[in-house]
Amino acid sequence: MDEDFETLRVERREDRTVVELYRPEARNAINARMIAELHRVCAELEEVPRPLLLTGHGTVFAGGADIAELRERGRDEALAGINSRLFERLHRLRAPTVAAIDGWALGGGAELSYACDIRIATPEAVFAQPEPGLGIIAGAGACWRLKELVGVSVAKQVLLGGMRLDAEAALRHGLVARIVPSEELRESAHALLDRMAASSATALRMTKMVLDADGPHPLADDLTQAVLFESADKHERMTRFLERKKR
């Protein structure tokens, strides 16, 4: 286990890398430090491609982005695509990626899981995109990746209607590959990676390259978010959210 990380627990094996999101005090919320550390992991996997298993510490995958940080971001930060560029980098890793999700995958946490190739969940898993309630869009991939994963109708129900996808709904709509008990989650994810390891690593990488197609994203997401990040409505909504958390 690599101790040179603050927000991640990273285990490097010969045929895979295992990353655990680790901010137990904040439900593994994604902050700037975690983004930077995930970039470091991506850089390693770009240099030496290995399958990646991504999971969360405890009984939550990731409770969204850090709202206190988001509240202070403005147009320039939105155009920089702080989260979206990382998730796109993760999506473009040459070796397969698997997200093992237990509990909440909210906002940016859900978008992080969408960027992975395959998702496995426990019965307690829940995917949701609460961003419009905070005055912004789900600007790190949900507005286009979710549509590709579950279809336009379901994506609009989640993004516009605030619908949460529990594990059964996520399985029914193809967002997750299977549901397994919480105590079997990592074992099941490793079993999937074991099957991948039995295949040609080059063939897997080439298959993934052919499957993935380019689009106008994430530029469109970043431009839209840049407008919203400057709005008073966004700041007021996030302030109310943070004040409720203090009570």
Side-chain angles (χ1 to χ4, degrees):
M1 193 74 67
D2 193 327
E3 299 296 333
D4 191 29
F5 292 90
E6 288 185 10
T7 67
L8 306 176
R9 288 180 169 177
V10 179
E11 179 187 359
R12 300 175 185 85
R13 301 186 184 183
E14 184 177 352
D15 63 347
R16 72 198 60 175
T17 294
V18 182
V19 172
E20 178 184 271
L21 309 178
Y22 187 73
R23 292 190 70 213
E25 76 286 356
R27 298 197 304 174
N28 303 330
I30 301 168
N31 65 354
R33 182 59 182 247
M34 184 180 288
I35 291 290
E37 293 185 349
L38 285 169
H39 271 298
R40 287 171 54 193
V41 172
C42 286
E44 291 181 12
L45 295 176
E46 288 164 350
E47 184 174 351
V48 181
R50 286 190 300 267
L52 170 67
L53 169 57
L54 183 64
T55 190
H57 177 74
T59 57
V60 63
F61 181 71
D66 190 298
I67 303 301
E69 287 189 0
L70 276 183
R71 183 178 60 171
E72 301 310 312
R73 291 181 187 174
R75 177 181 58 246
D76 291 343
E77 288 81 9
L79 291 173
I82 294 171
N83 289 13
S84 65
R85 291 301 191 269
L86 168 70
F87 298 172
E88 182 66 8
R89 188 178 189 180
L90 173 67
H91 180 71
R92 291 183 179 274
L93 290 176
R94 287 179 285 169
T97 55
V98 175
I101 299 132
D102 190 11
W104 291 103
L106 299 178
E111 291 176 300
L112 176 60
S113 77
Y114 304 157
C116 293
D117 295 313
I118 299 173
R119 285 152 295 283
I120 297 174
T122 70
E124 292 73 36
V126 179
F127 300 84
Q129 303 294 160
E131 287 89 348
L134 295 170
I136 59 175
I137 66 168
C143 287
W144 52 285
R145 282 202 179 98
L146 189 59
K147 178 176 67 175
E148 295 174 354
L149 291 167
V150 302
V152 174
S153 177
V154 175
K156 286 185 175 181
Q157 291 176 59
V158 173
L159 292 163
L160 303 179
M163 182 178 76
R164 297 173 177 177
L165 294 176
D166 62 17
E168 289 294 339
L171 180 65
R172 186 166 63 251
H173 295 298
L175 182 58
V176 302
R178 67 172 63 95
I179 301 171
V180 299
S182 180
E183 62 272 16
E184 298 176 14
L185 180 62
R186 297 200 187 194
E187 179 184 354
S188 181
H190 278 296
L192 174 58
L193 289 171
D194 289 342
R195 291 196 294 276
M196 292 179 180
S199 298
S200 160
T202 301
L204 284 179
R205 290 199 295 270
M206 296 299 287
T207 299
K208 180 175 176 177
M209 181 183 70
V210 173
L211 275 169
D212 292 338
D214 289 328
H217 305 284
L219 177 59
D221 308 60
D222 296 340
L223 289 172
T224 305
Q225 197 73 294
V227 174
L228 292 170
F229 268 11
E230 293 292 319
S231 72
D233 183 54
K234 164 254 189 179
H235 190 274
E236 291 168 2
R237 286 172 177 271
M238 291 191 176
T239 298
R240 288 198 300 269
F241 174 87
L242 291 169
E243 288 175 350
R244 285 198 303 269
K245 284 188 67 178
K246 293 177 182 177
R247 296 185 189 135

